Amino acid sequence: ELLTVMPLIILIISAMVVAIVNLTGTSMRASARTQLQNEVLAALDQIEQDVKISTDFDGMASDKISMHNLATSANPLSANRKLIKKSDCSIAGTGISVAEALVYKMEYSVVGGNTLKRKAVMDSGCGSSSNVWQRGIDDTLISNSKEVKMDITSNADTVEVKLTASKTVAGDDISYTGWLYVKSLNF
């Protein structure tokens, strides 16, 4: 009797192990897909904020956006913000022209085919300021991906971005693509 029951028990246990492995893989892929979607959407939100406050586009490529933005004392969309003077990096009072304001270069680029970086560099020596809006930025927005692709088109004061990130999870490739169409408020 034991010889007849043992193969049945082994079959039942192996079927249960296969089912658990499949459920674990499905759960891992679903979790990774959600994480990938959140990373892409957060990156597109950040790009949208920076394009809205840009004064001009410095350069566009299929995998790179480069723009100039005005340095301000607070959130650039805040009514209480003031421009930063180019001459001495101090907060300007009233009556400063845009030509006298500090400008920084904001750049988004795909690095190594699998990482999306955001970098801001001041045009003068203000990078070490205690004011958060005057500091240089070097952020990684998407990493640990198999591939990151950014397709960019621009027309005068608008930018259209298609951002795709992909990963391999539990033996399957997953990806998420997000789109953005945004217009600068400062052109």
Side-chain angles (χ1 to χ4, degrees):
E1 291 178 15
L2 206 54
L3 289 174
T4 356
V5 173
M6 283 305 276
L8 288 173
I9 291 174
I10 291 173
L11 284 173
I12 290 170
I13 290 174
S14 62
M16 289 173 55
V17 167
V18 167
I20 290 171
V21 167
N22 284 339
L23 286 173
T24 302
T26 301
S27 174
M28 286 173 58
R29 284 186 294 277
S31 176
R33 185 174 290 115
T34 300
Q35 179 186 4
L36 199 58
Q37 178 181 355
N38 289 339
E39 288 177 356
V40 168
L41 293 176
L44 288 173
D45 284 346
Q46 189 65 59
I47 292 170
E48 179 180 18
Q49 288 175 22
D50 287 330
V51 168
K52 277 184 178 179
I53 61 171
S54 64
T55 58
D56 66 73
F57 300 130
D58 186 34
M60 298 287 174
S62 61
D63 61 351
K64 184 178 184 180
I65 302 172
S66 186
M67 64 197 90
H68 287 109
N69 296 4
L70 297 171
T72 58
S73 61
N75 184 324
L77 299 175
S78 166
N80 298 327
R81 55 98 172 87
K82 298 201 184 290
L83 292 175
I84 305 299
K85 291 184 208 174
K86 187 187 305 183
S87 60
D88 62 3
C89 301
S90 65
I91 297 172
T94 57
I96 183 173
S97 71
V98 173
E100 297 172 299
L102 177 66
V103 176
Y104 63 94
K105 182 177 183 178
M106 181 62 73
E107 184 175 283
Y108 290 85
S109 60
V110 175
V111 178
N114 62 355
T115 303
L116 179 64
K117 299 279 281 181
R118 174 182 182 240
K119 189 171 187 169
V121 179
M122 289 298 157
D123 288 348
S124 70
C126 296
S128 63
S129 171
S130 61
N131 186 338
V132 70
W133 297 102
Q134 296 178 50
R135 289 188 202 139
I137 298 169
D138 192 359
D139 291 337
T140 300
L141 299 177
I142 299 176
S143 62
N144 301 324
S145 291
K146 177 181 171 185
E147 182 179 36
V148 175
K149 291 177 71 177
M150 189 165 56
D151 297 316
I152 301 145
T153 55
S154 65
N155 298 319
D157 61 348
T158 60
V159 173
E160 187 173 343
V161 178
K162 177 183 174 187
L163 182 60
T164 303
S166 63
K167 288 183 177 185
T168 302
V169 178
D172 286 340
D173 287 339
I174 60 167
S175 68
Y176 183 80
T177 301
W179 288 268
L180 169 68
Y181 181 81
V182 62
K183 181 176 180 167
S184 172
L185 303 174
N186 289 325
F187 272 60

